[in-house]
């Protein structure tokens, strides 16, 4: 009796395997569309018709293959995609460029007093001058130099009138390098513009509009700050020593006047780069 049961089970297993094998061997000549909710549906193998379906089963899905995207609205030899959204984007950029050029004070960069020579490389600038055999170099980059403007009205979603909008000012971090002829190392100052020192009210005593963050000796001519060199952080520095360091910079032309002019120069540079970016972006969208 037990042997009969075993044989019956074995026969059933073989019949099931044969059926499966036959099903796998059938040619896939007439595939059928599966519902997105079907358990047999495979990801990333649905037809384009299913992706573009407006039925209830696909209503939650973005129209990745809408007719507007498949049919370029503008003929262009670049082979790129052109949509109605691109056209609206391009029109917006054209208006934005015109407005930015209207408020641009001058296409020429402001001059620095004190005999500083300016060299530019994209968004980076270098100012150099010589003082009694010493070479003073100041470098800064206008990227990420616009401080964020947060106020209560902006947090509440209220838009200010255009005339009440604060003027955009670039306040970049800058590095001052002082090199002596006989020295093997340069004295390097990492400086910045503290937010609480950017404006002074009437009657308030004028203070430094920039501050020293760190001081270190670095090998002359090295563009990278070596972490193996001792760096003096000014957060916990004695104020008498800090004042002497500020006087040291002032004697070499890096004072409040310089810092104020550097802000004007950086602001003009940043605005130029912003307009250039908008023009490049407009050309990229339009494939010019």
């Amino acid at each position: 009796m037990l042997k009969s049961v075993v044989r019956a089970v074995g026969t059933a297993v073989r019949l099931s395997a044969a059926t499966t094998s036959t099903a796998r061997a059938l040619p896939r000549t007439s595939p059928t569309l599966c519902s997105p909710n079907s358990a047999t549906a495979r990801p990333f193998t649905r037809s384009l018709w299913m992706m573009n379906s407006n039925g209830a089963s696909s209503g939650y899905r973005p129209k990745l293959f809408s007719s507007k995207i498949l049919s370029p609205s503008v003929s262009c030899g670049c082979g790129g995609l052109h949509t109605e959204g691109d056209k609206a984007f391009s029109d917006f950029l054209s208006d934005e460029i015109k407005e930015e050029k209207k408020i641009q004070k001058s296409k020429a960069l402001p001059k620095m007093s004190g005999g500083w020579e300016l060299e530019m490389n994209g968004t980076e600038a270098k100012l150099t001058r010589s003082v009694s055999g010493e070479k003073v170099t100041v470098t800064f980059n206008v990227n990420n130099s616009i401080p964020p403007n947060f106020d209560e009205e902006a947090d509440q979603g209220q838009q200010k009138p255009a005339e009440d909008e604060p003027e955009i000012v670039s306040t970049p971090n800058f590095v001052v390098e002082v090199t002596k002829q006989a020295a093997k190392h340069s004295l390097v100052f990492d400086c910045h513009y503290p937010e609480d020192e950017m404006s002074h009210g009437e009657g308030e005593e004028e203070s430094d509009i920039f501050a020293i963050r760190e001081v270190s000796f670095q090998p002359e001519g090295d563009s990278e700050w070596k972490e193996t060199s001792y760096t003096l952080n000014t957060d916990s520095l004695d104020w008498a020593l800090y004042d002497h360091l500020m006087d040291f910079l002032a004697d070499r032309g890096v004072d409040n006047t310089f810092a104020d002019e550097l802000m004007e120069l950086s602001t003009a540079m940043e605005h130029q780069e912003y307009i250039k970016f908008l023009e490049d972006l407009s050309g990229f969208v339009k494939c010019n």
Side-chain angles (χ1 to χ4, degrees), residues 19-92:
T19 303
T20 304
S21 175
T22 304
R24 290 175 181 172
L26 288 176
R28 301 172 64 182
T29 57
S30 57
T32 58
L33 295 174
C34 299
S35 169
N37 297 324
S38 171
T40 60
R42 300 176 186 175
F44 308 110
T45 58
R46 298 185 180 95
S47 68
L48 299 185
W49 181 89
M50 289 295 292
M51 294 296 290
N52 195 34
S53 173
N54 293 322
S57 64
S58 60
Y60 66 94
R61 199 175 292 113
K63 296 181 180 180
L64 299 179
F65 297 92
S66 65
S67 58
K68 289 183 179 180
I69 297 181
L70 286 176
S71 301
S73 58
V74 180
S75 60
C76 179
C78 70
L81 185 65
H82 296 282
T83 68
E84 293 298 327
D86 291 346
K87 184 178 183 304
F89 191 14
S90 178
D91 293 340
F92 168 80

Side-chain angles (χ1 to χ4, degrees), residues 138-173:
V138 179
T139 56
F140 64 93
N141 196 311
V142 299
N143 281 335
N144 304 314
S145 63
I146 303 296
N149 179 34
F150 297 110
D151 52 35
E152 294 181 0
E153 291 185 1
D155 293 340
Q156 295 174 0
Q158 301 178 4
Q159 187 173 1
K160 288 184 177 182
E163 59 272 11
D164 294 339
E165 288 289 341
E167 185 178 358
I168 295 177
V169 178
S170 171
T171 56
N173 298 335

Side-chain angles (χ1 to χ4, degrees), residues 215-234:
V215 186
S216 177
F217 280 107
Q218 297 290 329
E220 181 183 354
D222 280 13
S223 58
E224 298 294 332
W225 190 289
K226 290 189 177 299
E227 298 297 335
T228 53
S229 299
Y230 178 78
T231 300
L232 178 65
N233 192 296
T234 61

Side-chain angles (χ1 to χ4, degrees), residues 105 109-110 140 142 145-146 167-172 260-274:
K105 295 180 179 179
L109 295 176
F140 64 93
V142 299
S145 63
I146 303 296
E167 185 178 358
I168 295 177
V169 178
S170 171
T171 56
D260 193 50
E261 292 180 354
L262 188 144
M263 276 196 301
E264 293 182 12
L265 173 62
S266 179
T267 300
M269 284 180 56
E270 198 279 337
H271 198 198
Q272 280 189 359
E273 291 296 324
Y274 177 61

